[in-house]
Amino acid sequence: MIQELVNDGQAVSDTPVLSVRGLCKSFGGFHAVKNVDVDFQPGQIHALIGPNGAGKSTFFSLLSKFHEPTSGTISLAGQDITRIRPEKVVRMGMVRSFQISAVFPEMTVLENVRVALQRRTGRDIQFWCGLGLLDSLRDEAMYLLDRVGIADLADKRAADLSYGRKRTLEIATTLALDPKVILLDEPMAGMAIEDIGMVSALIKEISQDRTTLMVEHNLNVVEDLCDTATVLARGEIVAKGTFSEIRNDSEVRRAYIGTDYD
Amino acid sequence: MEIFGISVPALAGQLLIGLFNGAFYALLSLGLAVIFGMLRIINFAHGAFYMLGAFSAYMLSAYLEASFWVSLLIVPLILAALAAVLERSMLQRLAGLDPLYGLLLTFGFALILEGGMQYVFGVAGQPYSPPASLSGASNLGFMFMPHYRAFVIVVSLIVCFGTWLLIERTKIGSILRAATENPSLSEVFGLNVPVLITATYAFGAALAGIAGIMAAPVFQVSPYMGSNLIIVVFAVVVIGGMGSIMGAIISGFALGLVEGLTKVIYSEASNVVVFVIMAIVLYFRPAGLFGKDA
Amino acid sequence: MIEENCLALSDIHGWYGESKALHGIEINVKRGQTVALMGRNGAGKTTTLRAITRQLTRTEGSITKDGQDISAVPRHKLAYKGIGFVPEDRGTYNSLSVQENLKLLPKVGNSGMSIDELHSFFPNIQERRHAPAGTLSGGEQQMLAMARVLLAGPDLILLDEPTEGLAPVFVQKIAELLQDLKKRGLTILLVEQNMLFTRKLADHFYMIENGLVVADFPAEELSENEELISRVLGV
Amino acid sequence: MSNTTTHVPGPAQSLPSARVLKLAAFAILAVVLLVAPAVLYPVFLMKILCFALFASALNLLLGYTGLLSFGHATFFGGGAYFTAYCVKILDVGPLTGILIGVGGAAVLGLAIGVIAIRRQGIYFAMTTLALSQLAYFCFLRAPFTNAEDGIQNVPRGTLLGIFDLTDHVTMYFFVLTVFAIGMFTIWRIVTSPFGEVVKAIRENEQRAISLGYNVNRYKLSVFTVSAALAGLAGSTKALVFQIATLTDVSWQMSGEAILMALLGGLGTLTGPAAGATVIVTMQNYLAATSVPVNVVIGVVFVISVLLFRKGIVGVFQKFSKAP
Amino acid sequence: MSTLSKLTSVAFATCLATSQTVFAAEDPVKILVLDDMRGIFSGNGGPNTLLAVQMAVEDFDTSSLGTTVEVLSADHQNKADVGSSLAQRFIDEQGVDAITFGGSSAVGLAVQGRAAESKVITMTTGGYAPNFVGDQCSPYGTQWAPTTRELARGVAGTLVDQGLKDWYFITADYVFGRALSTDAADAVVDAGGGMKGETLHPLNTNDMASALLAAQASGADVVGLANAGSDTETAIKQARSFGVGDKLAALLFFSNNAQALTLDVAQGIRVSTSFYWNMNDTTTAWAERFMERNGGQVPTMGHANAYAATTHYLKSVAAAKSQDAAEVTAMMHSLPVDAGILENASIQENGRVVYDMLLAEVKAPSESTGPTDLYKILSRIDGSDFFLSAAESGCPLVN
């Protein structure tokens, strides 16, 4: 089914892989996301930009089903996922990363990736076997670690990694799931400049033949990486299009650069 | 006179007893809710505080010959002081850790306090008499109404709604709510949050102390008087919605009444009815009846 | 007198959890000045304010207010050193009414604003005083947050993105208020991305990038630095 | 232990010498357990083994999955009641009795788990506590438990028609076998692929969900297994002491198990057993003195929460690691 | 495993054998006082039972034994599992010869069962279920405490005779409580009275109000309390506030309950007891010595029975010149029980100790001359045909 998803996407490229209609979310009286309609085309890198508090992270949580929408629908590859549990969404091929780096701190780097591989290979419920069963996953895990450039850290405890390395590890773990849609929430946040280039290249690489949706503040990165961008402000979409279109949009300028006054 | 085959006096009587028990549930769950709201800790020592309230009253009367009324003023202060010391010296060290450690620590407090009182006084109940002015009873025609029980219900209502007013309608209350909503920012604004936390814990303990002294003349004053009661009160808090002040008060009284009603209809179930309700509430409304999404 | 340092940050390093966000910030704010911190999202502007108000996991370096080291003062005593803080998310207490929010902060000094003056500045707040703060619009919340701090009477105000997400009418209003505060001699440390807003207010600019001050210049030299500003802000 | 090629998880690298040390310690422990009844009173040893298993079962849930159940006595006592009833009234053999006890506890675990697993953290603890209290009243009222009197004089019977369990030493070796099977089960689970996923859930539940794991299903599985093992401990205890009472299902019993696990060291294989040994020994010796047992236990509890959250094993590891 | 098991058994046996040979020359008589030392029944048993046993040993001329007497004690906390394992441990490790028992009958029956298997004498001084000498009797057991049957008949019979015919029972919902209410109901019916109803409550109930209201609503003449310890105290205390106080009959009540409740609350309650501290000169002299040593706590029938039982046991050991349980038990059954503490006492074949009982009433504060002056004795009940005979007891050891 996942395979289908990609093929469909490539065959009919204007069929959106992810489609959102009338999405709303309110916490108490506060409307974090208001009536958002948006489609994401397959095979591209999309940026979701907007000032702090615009509702980008909430929007991500809604897509990945970590939050229940107040109203509206979300469909993934034509299938309605509005009432589906988050892990089910992952199994359908859409995986998210978190704003704050999410690793399993007490496990080694290798184990972090391995545990992600386990489910896909059906080695997640064997309570009667030893860990030897997982040996076969080692090569694949090492391959993924190598791909993101941290193979030499395989036996380190994840908690002992630097912040940038943790984000890298997180990307490796996400890759282990072989997702068709990746949601990256501020993948560069808090990173040193050296790391930004590295991660940026990594994202570019892994995004081939997948659909990537990322929240990012660094407009240089967005310009460099993304095919299209959607601008969110106060929970609403204020603009969408290619980056150059967006850049000259007055609403966007206002959202980013500011409002003049007398 | 009968309703559904149940005599009216029996029904009225059991409902009154239910309300009386509810008065204790409400006082205790209110204290737990106040503490939980601020400290995010389930105070397992609450039953022990309640017991200490009763014992303090007993000791004040036995050794210092203090009257019920004097004790009613002093006992909450004793409990507040004790709780403040416990919070300052130990509970505070757990700040920032998983709240489960708070639960476990207060569980340890309960073991020590109950075990200690058992060591000193044994398990057998100690006598404590209601004040002479409240020792009578009135025949209401359809039932016999002990004055002291009526007094307890009234005092509990006053204390509960007084607390609610204090928290919802006063400056102190607004400071507390602010500190609960955003503790670190409140500190930046100049509110002494650590002291507020200590004060809140002490206040919650004082409420338990009031419940304890009011229980002393009716129930046996014994070291484990609080240990089983507190589990019911936990259930009451969960039903009301953890941290919800109004939820604690209303569900406290309401569950007392439900229990009383169960005694008339099917008395064997009266011990479990609260837990059954809790299981149902948790299943359909996990945040409790009055709770916000947790 | 006006040259005297009100707030001085020297070699400030700060961490969120294990992630280091500040790498040796140096900032001096002179008494009566309005100083703007500029930089991209995530550059460390808000983090700098949080370092002053001690909301980071770990902070190293020296922070002095009026010459006195305040980096070891208990957090709840900072306000009494005359520091007022309006955080990025405004920090209004949603469960409290507008009035409760206003009266919440302890009085730490006299900034010269009476409650009547404030009411004339913020008529909405007066009107909606019984409503829960959570039901106010973003602009109203921002005004509430500023009014609240002014009532406490600090001589230094830390302002984090006061115009963020606000309609122009509110931006205007806030600018007027800040001009007024400047006239009254209050010291203001302002974090703001809205360049058009800042350039008419600030006396001095600090450009921050990756947790470091990369440049600073007085308002007079603004025009000479347009290119730098564009680069740092990434626009 | 045949998984020589795998990376043993945990902070300590498995150097060969550490491995030898571990094996040596294991061998010494085995020898101690085998000769212990010659030196110490067997019933006392059996009590330690039963509680060690109970605490370890709880630890499987608390230490390895991060779920604090405050109602595990329901499974411990439930197992004891089922076994006692079957052995005494239905006249089944000790082995069948224990199997029924374990099965019953597992069913109870599944039923309580389904409701409790919906909540997290402190809410989970409260839910298990309240549900176990509900179970307590059910046991109190159930006709087969004899309320306050309990099921007394439960015959130990003859194991497989060969071993006369009325003899303390024979019974001891039976209990030791049960204990070993229980501990092996726990070890097997925590060092299995399934255990890896469970560990991941404990460390970062959100992340585990985002890897596509249905975490509730894993939690429920562990809860049920933990309940079954607690039931195993309770069933065995019922045969050792020939009695099943309300004490076994009371919430204080749940608290005791938590204390043992915490004191010994959460999330370690041997910790809970060590904690159980200390507590049971203390109870045993203090009972004969005028020292108030509950106060001492309470103080130990408070100290371990405040100062030794890693427990006895944690402290030991710290010292053994220090250069 | 079986070889190993045998090996260690042998090793273990050797250990025991060695220790026995070493100490056999001066094998002391060891008595274990196993009681609820701090729990809800510790007032009528507990530490004061230990004191009574110690006094009995001190008062006994141990030279007639040819060895010393050692008194050990342990707290079973009213938990059957704790009690039975403590008993087992003291038997296996200390080699105790006799156990005096008080507290919850549920614990006592477990202890007696365990002791019987190991051939150890048990003397139930504070357990009131009839099963001790009934269906669960032990060949080495004697029950010194009266059973629910005598307690119930003593009070119920008398009150019905006085015209209080309609009864309502508030009963503790476990074997002891139910036995007490069943026996009392039988006594009431035998005497020509009737039952109005019954409310069962769990052990350790802190609010009896709803039960009391139900009793009040039934219109009964008497509310019989078929419970014990703090449950009884709670019921009495609360009955006063609901205006039911004058209708109470406590079926198991001790002088310590009266002291705890204060005479003001407890006055007028009718009780059936085997002992009151100043019922005769012997008891008065003994009780005064007793109270001197414990700070003025009045001895209950539990304490008196412990004294009498220990004295009789030691006398029997001396007479039998043996510590063997069977021989000593035979001697206990045949020797007459000393008069004084118990009046007209003898031991039946099933281990039942039979004696005269008293019906007493708690004094009003105005009638009392001091803190220890609690009861006035209304009548004496001849024990000879008041207790259930061995044949009727259901004890399987009696043919």
Side-chain angles (χ1 to χ4, degrees):
Chain A
M1 150 63 265
I2 287 168
Q3 204 51 46
E4 248 172 44
L5 202 152
V6 164
N7 291 341
D8 283 359
Q10 279 165 347
V12 200
S13 67
D14 56 347
T15 307
V17 62
L18 185 61
S19 176
V20 173
R21 288 289 171 276
L23 195 65
C24 294
K25 176 69 184 178
S26 50
F27 298 102
F30 174 66
H31 299 281
V33 170
K34 278 182 273 187
N35 206 21
V36 166
D37 290 330
V38 66
D39 290 325
F40 298 104
Q41 302 302 330
Q44 294 184 321
I45 304 183
H46 301 271
L48 192 60
I49 56 180
N52 280 338
K56 300 176 303 268
S57 288
T58 309
F59 182 61
F60 258 38
S61 290
L62 289 172
L63 291 184
S64 56
K65 299 311 313 305
F66 275 71
H67 282 156
E68 280 294 308
T70 310
S71 62
T73 57
I74 307 165
S75 41
L76 178 64
Q79 225 179 322
D80 187 357
I81 59 161
T82 317
R83 300 281 160 228
I84 277 178
R85 298 179 51 80
E87 67 270 10
K88 205 80 186 287
V89 174
V90 176
R91 288 164 189 233
M92 290 172 68
M94 180 159 77
V95 178
R96 75 172 294 189
S97 76
F98 292 82
Q99 210 167 33
I100 300 155
S101 77
V103 294
F104 302 113
E106 296 297 322
M107 296 174 127
T108 67
V109 168
L110 181 77
E111 284 164 354
N112 261 275
V113 178
R114 198 176 63 186
V115 82
L117 288 170
Q118 269 180 262
R119 183 188 56 77
R120 200 159 54 76
T121 54
R123 288 180 192 143
D124 55 331
I125 55 157
Q126 286 86 344
F127 60 84
W128 57 89
C129 300
L131 289 175
L133 184 72
L134 300 180
D135 284 350
S136 56
L137 301 180
R138 191 185 153 85
D139 289 347
E140 193 176 349
M142 286 308 292
Y143 165 74
L144 288 166
L145 288 175
D146 190 43
R147 200 170 156 194
V148 300
I150 54 171
D152 52 327
L153 303 174
D155 289 329
K156 266 199 140 181
R157 214 165 60 111
D160 296 335
L161 295 187
S162 73
Y163 186 74
R165 297 291 189 207
K166 276 185 196 156
R167 304 236 57 154
T168 322
L169 171 58
E170 204 188 330
I171 291 174
T173 323
T174 305
L175 278 181
L177 303 173
D178 192 22
K180 295 309 158 199
V181 180
I182 305 181
L183 308 178
L184 297 170
D185 198 353
E186 301 202 29
M188 321 288 185
M191 271 196 188
I193 300 185
E194 321 76 88
D195 288 342
I196 288 181
M198 193 259 293
V199 174
S200 185
L202 187 58
I203 290 175
K204 199 163 209 165
E205 196 204 322
I206 65 166
S207 298
Q208 287 163 3
D209 57 73
R210 305 177 204 276
T211 309
T212 306
L213 179 55
M214 59 191 283
V215 170
E216 187 49 62
H217 284 303
N218 190 329
L219 295 188
N220 295 333
V221 170
V222 172
E223 182 171 23
D224 180 40
L225 271 181
C226 302
D227 303 303
T228 61
T230 303
V231 185
L232 217 56
R234 275 163 279 157
E236 291 171 297
I237 291 186
V238 293
K240 42 190 166 187
T242 64
F243 188 72
S244 47
E245 285 164 14
I246 299 276
R247 192 164 199 147
N248 298 315
D249 186 287
S250 62
E251 281 289 326
V252 178
R253 284 194 75 77
R254 180 122 57 92
Y256 262 84
I257 296 147
T259 320
D260 197 6
Y261 70 97
D262 307 316
Chain B
M1 257 201 310
E2 287 195 353
I3 301 172
F4 307 129
I6 298 154
S7 77
V8 169
L11 185 67
Q14 299 293 7
L15 286 181
L16 187 88
I17 290 166
L19 200 60
F20 174 75
N21 288 331
F24 287 99
Y25 293 162
L27 271 179
L28 291 170
S29 61
L30 176 63
L32 280 176
V34 168
I35 291 174
F36 183 79
M38 188 79 178
L39 284 83
R40 296 280 131 186
I41 276 178
I42 297 283
N43 183 32
F44 227 110
H46 218 66
F49 288 164
Y50 162 80
M51 174 276 292
L52 280 183
F55 261 105
S56 306
Y58 162 74
M59 286 188 275
L60 283 170
S61 137
Y63 304 137
L64 302 174
E65 291 177 9
S67 76
F68 174 82
W69 304 106
V70 173
S71 300
L72 193 58
L73 290 177
I74 298 176
V75 166
L77 297 178
I78 296 176
L79 265 294
L82 172 78
V85 170
L86 291 178
E87 202 278 334
R88 277 274 137 150
S89 59
M90 289 183 264
L91 215 44
Q92 214 165 51
R93 290 161 192 262
L94 298 181
L97 292 173
D98 192 317
L100 290 174
Y101 283 112
L103 177 91
L104 295 176
L105 183 68
T106 52
F107 178 64
F109 291 165
L111 287 180
I112 296 173
L113 294 173
E114 288 174 348
M117 292 319 265
Q118 181 190 348
Y119 183 65
V120 180
F121 292 99
V123 167
Q126 306 294 332
Y128 190 80
S129 306
S133 49
L134 292 173
S135 58
S138 298
N139 195 338
L140 303 180
F142 60 91
M143 65 167 298
F144 217 75
M145 176 79 184
H147 294 157
Y148 184 76
R149 288 189 179 237
F151 165 79
V152 167
I153 295 171
V154 172
V155 170
S156 170
L157 280 168
I158 293 172
V159 171
C160 285
F161 287 98
T163 304
W164 180 79
L165 280 176
L166 177 76
I167 290 177
E168 295 297 329
R169 294 283 180 270
T170 66
K171 171 93 191 260
I172 294 177
S174 68
I175 290 176
L176 277 175
R177 277 178 288 137
T180 306
E181 196 177 315
N182 192 341
S184 69
L185 186 65
S186 303
E187 269 197 82
V188 175
F189 286 158
L191 306 179
N192 193 338
V193 176
V195 163
L196 285 175
I197 288 177
T198 309
T200 304
Y201 194 64
F203 182 74
L207 287 175
I210 293 174
I213 177 170
M214 292 208 303
V218 181
F219 306 139
Q220 291 289 315
V221 179
S222 66
Y224 293 101
M225 63 191 289
S227 76
N228 286 322
L229 178 62
I230 200 63
I231 308 293
V232 181
V233 175
F234 281 155
V236 171
V237 175
V238 170
I239 293 169
M242 279 203 231
S244 162
I245 304 289
M246 205 33 125
I249 298 172
I250 292 177
S251 56
F253 280 103
L255 288 167
L257 283 173
V258 168
E259 238 184 34
L261 204 60
T262 318
K263 278 197 176 123
V264 185
I265 297 166
Y266 182 60
S267 75
E268 282 74 13
S270 63
N271 283 315
V272 298
V273 65
V274 173
F275 299 109
V276 172
I277 292 176
M278 193 207 72
I280 295 171
V281 167
L282 272 177
Y283 203 83
F284 292 102
R285 227 188 117 78
L289 294 179
F290 296 82
K292 298 177 194 85
D293 278 324
Chain C
M1 175 72 190
I2 200 152
E3 287 303 302
E4 175 196 340
N5 266 347
C6 175
L7 180 74
L9 308 186
S10 160
D11 197 23
I12 299 297
H13 298 257
W15 287 261
Y16 282 116
E18 291 161 54
S19 142
K20 189 169 180 188
L22 300 181
H23 300 267
I25 295 269
E26 306 269 349
I27 290 172
N28 288 314
V29 182
K30 302 217 162 27
R31 180 157 296 285
Q33 257 190 344
T34 296
V35 169
L37 303 186
M38 314 278 297
R40 245 189 338 238
N41 264 330
K45 308 176 305 274
T46 297
T47 312
T48 305
L49 296 194
R50 287 174 162 242
I52 302 168
T53 53
R54 301 250 299 290
Q55 292 175 287
L56 300 184
T57 320
R58 185 149 74 92
T59 310
E60 281 173 10
S62 117
I63 304 172
T64 58
K65 168 94 198 327
D66 302 323
Q68 186 194 353
D69 191 333
I70 56 164
S71 49
V73 170
R75 192 154 63 180
H76 64 268
K77 296 243 169 83
L78 283 174
Y80 293 91
K81 301 287 173 195
I83 299 173
F85 180 44
V86 181
E88 192 177 13
D89 60 358
R90 283 125 204 175
T92 50
Y93 297 99
N94 291 339
S95 63
L96 273 61
S97 73
V98 169
Q99 190 143 346
E100 283 175 329
N101 264 287
L102 275 178
K103 292 185 172 168
L104 191 69
L105 273 53
K107 192 100 179 137
V108 297
N110 197 342
S111 56
M113 271 273 186
S114 71
I115 189 136
D116 291 338
E117 278 179 282
L118 274 171
H119 280 318
S120 66
F121 248 113
F122 306 119
N124 307 32
I125 293 197
Q126 165 77 358
E127 281 162 27
R128 304 206 54 190
R129 62 187 178 279
H130 295 304
T135 64
L136 296 186
S137 75
E140 289 169 327
Q141 283 188 359
Q142 184 65 45
M143 295 188 166
L144 172 60
M146 296 191 62
R148 181 174 64 179
V149 163
L150 290 173
L151 275 180
D155 60 340
L156 167 68
I157 296 180
L158 312 178
L159 263 180
D160 197 353
E161 309 245 15
T163 67
E164 181 187 298
L166 296 191
V169 54
F170 283 110
V171 176
Q172 174 80 32
K173 197 101 194 168
I174 286 166
E176 282 169 29
L177 174 66
L178 293 183
Q179 294 286 12
D180 190 75
L181 295 180
K182 271 186 81 167
K183 272 186 219 135
R184 290 169 194 253
L186 261 72
T187 314
I188 298 167
L189 180 57
L190 177 69
V191 164
E192 186 56 76
Q193 288 189 335
N194 185 340
M195 196 58 211
L196 303 174
F197 177 88
T198 332
R199 64 171 66 225
K200 294 183 186 169
L201 276 171
D203 304 309
H204 201 95
F205 293 84
Y206 281 86
M207 308 304 295
I208 295 182
E209 200 164 26
N210 295 314
L212 266 174
V213 174
V214 291
D216 76 284
F217 45 84
E220 302 83 65
E221 296 169 20
L222 196 58
S223 51
E224 301 157 31
N225 286 293
E226 292 290 357
E227 206 168 305
L228 174 77
I229 294 171
S230 288
R231 184 183 68 72
V232 172
L233 295 187
V235 288
Chain D
M1 284 200 166
S2 63
N3 53 332
T4 42
T5 52
T6 21
H7 287 253
V8 178
Q13 282 294 316
S14 274
L15 300 169
S17 65
R19 199 178 171 75
V20 169
L21 218 64
K22 244 185 201 172
L23 279 174
F26 186 75
I28 291 171
L29 189 71
V31 171
V32 166
L33 283 171
L34 288 175
V35 301
V39 186
L40 289 163
Y41 180 45
V43 178
F44 165 66
L45 292 173
M46 288 189 274
K47 185 174 182 186
I48 290 181
L49 289 177
C50 291
F51 277 96
L53 183 56
F54 182 27
S56 300
L58 183 87
N59 178 49
L60 176 64
L61 192 64
L62 176 55
Y64 288 101
T65 323
L67 293 173
L68 171 57
S69 162
F70 229 110
H72 250 45
T74 299
F75 315 125
F76 180 75
Y81 271 130
F82 297 142
T83 303
Y85 182 79
C86 290
V87 170
K88 184 170 182 187
I89 310 295
L90 304 183
D91 213 20
V92 306
L95 214 52
T96 320
I98 285 182
L99 286 178
I100 293 171
V102 171
V107 171
L108 279 175
L110 190 65
I112 289 184
V114 163
I115 299 177
I117 229 83
R118 292 166 54 87
R119 310 303 324 269
Q120 282 154 5
I122 225 152
Y123 302 89
F124 176 83
M126 300 300 291
T127 310
T128 50
L129 176 58
L131 289 175
S132 82
Q133 198 66 4
L134 180 61
Y136 175 90
F137 282 111
C138 293
F139 280 120
L140 176 67
R141 289 278 171 196
F144 77 96
T145 59
N146 302 333
E148 306 284 344
D149 306 322
I151 304 177
Q152 298 188 353
N153 297 324
V154 178
R156 282 183 184 170
T158 312
L159 182 65
L160 305 171
I162 307 167
F163 303 104
D164 177 16
L165 296 181
T166 51
D167 174 54
H168 285 337
V169 177
T170 315
M171 185 69 193
Y172 171 80
F173 284 102
F174 174 58
V175 175
L176 186 61
T177 312
V178 168
F179 172 76
I181 292 172
M183 292 305 284
F184 175 79
T185 309
I186 293 172
W187 174 80
R188 181 72 286 167
I189 290 172
V190 301
T191 57
S192 72
F194 174 82
E196 283 289 287
V197 178
V198 167
K199 245 182 275 177
I201 291 172
R202 176 193 65 184
E203 294 200 1
N204 193 337
E205 186 170 335
Q206 295 295 309
R207 183 63 183 160
I209 294 173
S210 78
L211 294 184
Y213 287 111
N214 184 343
V215 296
N216 281 355
R217 207 170 285 168
Y218 288 87
K219 285 184 182 175
L220 187 59
S221 311
V222 180
F223 194 90
T224 309
V225 171
S226 169
L229 287 168
L232 177 63
S235 297
T236 315
K237 196 205 139 194
L239 287 184
V240 171
F241 291 98
Q242 304 177 254
I243 196 164
T245 63
L246 284 172
T247 313
D248 301 335
V249 286
S250 68
W251 65 265
Q252 287 88 346
M253 181 63 86
S254 304
E256 222 161 80
I258 294 171
L259 169 62
M260 290 169 181
L262 185 72
L263 180 67
L266 293 176
T268 62
L269 210 58
T270 46
T277 309
V278 171
I279 297 287
V280 171
T281 310
M282 222 160 70
Q283 283 172 336
N284 224 38
Y285 288 100
L286 291 182
T289 70
S290 64
V291 180
V293 184
N294 281 350
V295 177
V296 175
I297 290 180
V299 169
V300 169
F301 205 117
V302 165
I303 291 175
S304 48
V305 171
L306 284 177
L307 303 174
F308 305 109
R309 280 184 288 275
K310 296 220 186 271
I312 297 171
V313 170
V315 171
F316 185 74
Q317 278 173 351
K318 203 166 142 194
F319 280 114
S320 67
K321 251 192 251 164
Chain E
M1 175 185 136
S2 75
T3 333
L4 200 70
S5 147
K6 264 184 211 153
L7 268 177
T8 41
S9 314
V10 171
F12 188 55
T14 324
C15 279
L16 271 186
T18 328
S19 62
Q20 271 166 0
T21 35
V22 170
F23 296 109
E26 39 181 317
D27 181 21
V29 176
K30 287 189 179 178
I31 305 172
L32 171 66
V33 179
L34 188 54
D35 213 308
D36 173 11
M37 290 296 174
R38 314 203 67 85
I40 61 170
F41 302 125
S42 60
N44 41 29
N48 280 328
T49 297
L50 177 59
L51 173 61
V53 171
Q54 275 163 342
M55 281 175 70
V57 172
E58 288 163 21
D59 293 351
F60 192 79
D61 175 17
T62 43
S63 62
S64 62
L65 290 174
T67 179
T68 53
V69 182
E70 230 178 82
V71 180
L72 306 163
S73 76
D75 181 4
H76 59 56
Q77 302 164 40
N78 283 323
K79 292 178 186 168
D81 53 338
V82 176
S84 73
S85 65
L86 275 175
Q88 190 74 65
R89 201 179 106 204
F90 274 93
I91 292 167
D92 292 347
E93 287 189 329
Q94 299 278 351
V96 295
D97 301 294
I99 299 173
T100 76
F101 173 81
S104 159
S105 292
V107 186
L109 291 167
V111 170
Q112 178 161 296
R114 204 44 44 83
E117 270 181 28
S118 310
K119 292 192 179 164
V120 167
I121 287 177
T122 45
M123 294 175 282
T124 305
T125 60
Y128 300 85
N131 315 56
F132 284 101
V133 288
D135 57 352
Q136 299 185 48
C137 64
S138 153
Y140 317 109
T142 44
Q143 184 180 25
W144 296 74
T147 73
T148 50
R149 183 174 177 276
E150 291 79 50
L151 295 165
R153 297 191 87 81
V155 179
T158 326
L159 290 179
V160 176
D161 287 347
Q162 291 174 6
L164 303 170
K165 292 196 183 303
D166 292 332
W167 284 61
Y168 190 97
F169 287 102
I170 295 178
T171 304
D173 191 9
Y174 64 106
V175 168
F176 158 78
R178 283 194 294 257
L180 194 52
S181 83
T182 310
D183 286 339
D186 288 349
V188 168
V189 173
D190 282 356
M195 288 281 288
K196 280 283 189 180
E198 179 175 26
T199 299
L200 294 168
H201 68 80
L203 190 66
N204 253 332
T205 297
N206 66 13
D207 195 1
M208 297 283 180
S210 55
L212 289 164
L213 275 183
Q216 195 174 33
S218 76
D221 299 325
V222 183
V223 180
L225 302 179
N227 46 24
S230 60
D231 283 339
T232 309
E233 288 178 19
T234 306
I236 293 170
K237 207 169 159 183
Q238 294 177 348
R240 293 282 173 212
S241 69
F242 279 96
V244 201
D246 300 335
K247 294 182 172 180
L248 291 182
L251 299 172
L252 178 55
F253 191 86
F254 300 91
S255 44
N256 69 291
N257 296 133
Q259 276 187 312
L261 281 167
T262 71
L263 293 184
D264 196 31
V265 176
Q267 60 178 298
I269 288 176
R270 306 284 180 84
V271 300
S272 163
T273 178
S274 63
F275 171 88
Y276 181 58
W277 72 273
N278 65 5
M279 67 192 215
N280 62 39
D281 292 345
T282 319
T283 58
T284 310
W286 176 73
E288 277 169 355
R289 283 198 293 137
F290 185 86
M291 287 190 276
E292 238 167 66
R293 293 176 63 168
N294 71 7
Q297 290 166 315
V298 175
T300 68
M301 63 173 147
H303 309 139
N305 286 331
Y307 182 85
T310 310
T311 307
H312 189 66
Y313 167 71
L314 291 175
K315 205 170 80 178
S316 305
V317 173
K321 297 193 168 52
S322 160
Q323 294 176 29
D324 178 79
E327 288 174 40
V328 175
T329 305
M331 196 55 82
M332 283 176 81
H333 284 236
S334 63
L335 284 177
V337 180
D338 285 352
I341 302 287
L342 293 172
E343 297 184 345
N344 300 323
S346 62
I347 301 181
Q348 293 179 172
E349 198 182 344
N350 58 343
R352 176 68 248 168
V353 183
V354 171
Y355 38 71
D356 290 353
M357 299 268 294
L358 303 170
L359 185 67
E361 186 181 294
V362 179
K363 285 184 174 178
S366 57
E367 298 167 300
S368 169
T369 57
T372 57
D373 188 17
L374 303 166
Y375 287 178
K376 59 187 172 213
I377 293 168
L378 301 179
S379 61
R380 278 163 195 271
I381 303 162
D382 181 2
S384 52
D385 52 76
F386 187 58
F387 285 85
L388 210 56
S389 72
E392 295 165 300
S393 69
C395 170
L397 300 170
V398 180
N399 329 332

